Amino acid sequence: DFLFFWGAVFLVTTTLVAFLKKENQELIPAKEETKGITDTYKLLFSIIKMPAVLTFCVLILTSKVGFSAADAVTGLKLVEEGVPKEHLALLAVPMVPLQIILPLVISKYTAGPQPLNTFYKAMPYRLLLGLEFAFLVWWAPKVKHEGGFPVYYYAVVVLSYALHQITLYSMYVAIMAFNAKVSDPLIGGTYMTLLNTVSNLGGNWPSTVALWLVDPLTVKECAGAQGHTCATAAAAEV
């Protein structure tokens, strides 16, 4: 029902945009730089070879390494410590209004000549929240009781998630604003797609690596089996 409703909303709104939104003919460039797929890819490679773009790509591909583990693994570790998955899913509900409001608020600070300043300012706070998430995982078994987890624990989790969303959206909106600002209007679609793709890749590959490293870096102890290691999944099962 949820997917059907929002699917219908999506279809209606995009159809209305298609029929009711008119292009500003005065702003459309008279000459297009690209005429086909081959031209587009040639243009992409010429953009990538620019020194400033290369530097920016390196920055954006590595900027999220520091909080990839906290972003990707925290929820899984909380479930592993006994927090019910349905409770974690419910905790995401209060985040929805925050996610709607945050871009509107943050966009005021990224509209100036230096939108990346917001990105840089949010980064140390997001790194510190990684330590906060590690504390939440460590704290979970300490407060767990037969009936589950106390309300105050969930309150701290919600507050931590809310603060995390603020830093996350500050960085996200800032990088989108920067991409829009530096993209050449004549080839804006191609330029922005390239930068946004690199930005998305910069967030996805560290999370994948973090998930892959969870098992090798997790320390396990075998109870009642001296001289045996639980380092691998097979050994832990035995």
Side-chain angles (χ1 to χ4, degrees):
D1 290 344
F2 177 84
L3 291 174
F4 179 80
F5 173 77
W6 287 110
V9 170
F10 182 84
L11 285 171
V12 171
T13 50
T14 49
T15 304
L16 287 173
V17 168
F19 283 108
L20 301 179
K21 174 67 177 150
K22 302 299 180 186
E23 296 291 345
N24 189 341
Q25 296 297 329
E26 294 177 3
L27 295 179
I28 296 175
K31 180 188 173 187
E32 287 290 343
E33 287 288 322
T34 57
K35 295 178 181 178
I37 295 175
T38 307
D39 287 341
T40 304
Y41 276 101
K42 284 180 180 176
L43 186 61
L44 275 175
F45 283 118
S46 67
I47 294 169
I48 290 171
K49 287 189 289 185
M50 294 165 64
V53 175
L54 272 175
T55 304
F56 177 68
C57 287
V58 171
L59 165 75
I60 209 64
L61 281 171
T62 55
S63 63
K64 297 178 182 176
V65 171
F67 27 76
S68 57
D71 289 0
V73 184
T74 300
L76 298 173
K77 283 295 177 184
L78 287 175
V79 170
E80 193 178 274
E81 295 295 345
V83 180
K85 282 185 282 189
E86 57 271 24
H87 289 182
L88 279 180
L90 281 174
L91 293 181
V93 175
M95 298 299 110
V96 174
L98 190 65
Q99 291 167 350
I100 295 170
I101 295 166
L102 277 173
L104 298 173
V105 175
I106 296 165
S107 60
K108 295 178 183 177
Y109 301 96
T110 57
Q114 296 178 317
L116 279 186
N117 282 353
T118 306
F119 183 92
Y120 294 135
K121 287 174 183 175
M123 184 176 283
Y125 296 104
R126 192 169 172 187
L127 288 168
L128 286 172
L129 281 167
L131 296 175
E132 163 73 4
F133 283 174
F135 169 75
L136 288 176
V137 174
W138 173 83
W139 193 30
K142 312 286 183 187
V143 296
K144 186 180 180 182
H145 51 73
E146 291 182 4
F149 290 85
V151 175
Y152 64 82
Y153 180 77
Y154 287 118
V156 173
V157 172
V158 169
L159 180 62
S160 301
Y161 272 37
L163 292 172
H164 177 260
Q165 289 295 312
I166 292 171
T167 58
L168 187 151
Y169 271 83
S170 295
M171 295 180 71
Y172 175 77
V173 174
I175 210 72
M176 290 294 131
F178 179 79
N179 290 348
K181 192 172 185 63
V182 300
S183 297
D184 187 341
L186 194 62
I187 49 169
T190 306
Y191 214 126
M192 277 195 70
T193 301
L194 170 67
L195 297 180
N196 289 342
T197 301
V198 173
S199 180
N200 291 333
L201 186 61
N204 289 334
W205 80 261
S207 296
T208 304
V209 173
L211 287 169
W212 182 70
L213 288 173
V214 168
D215 273 347
L217 294 178
T218 299
V219 178
K220 304 184 186 77
E221 294 179 4
C222 295
Q226 292 181 352
H228 290 273
T229 177
C230 296
T232 64
E237 193 175 340
V238 170

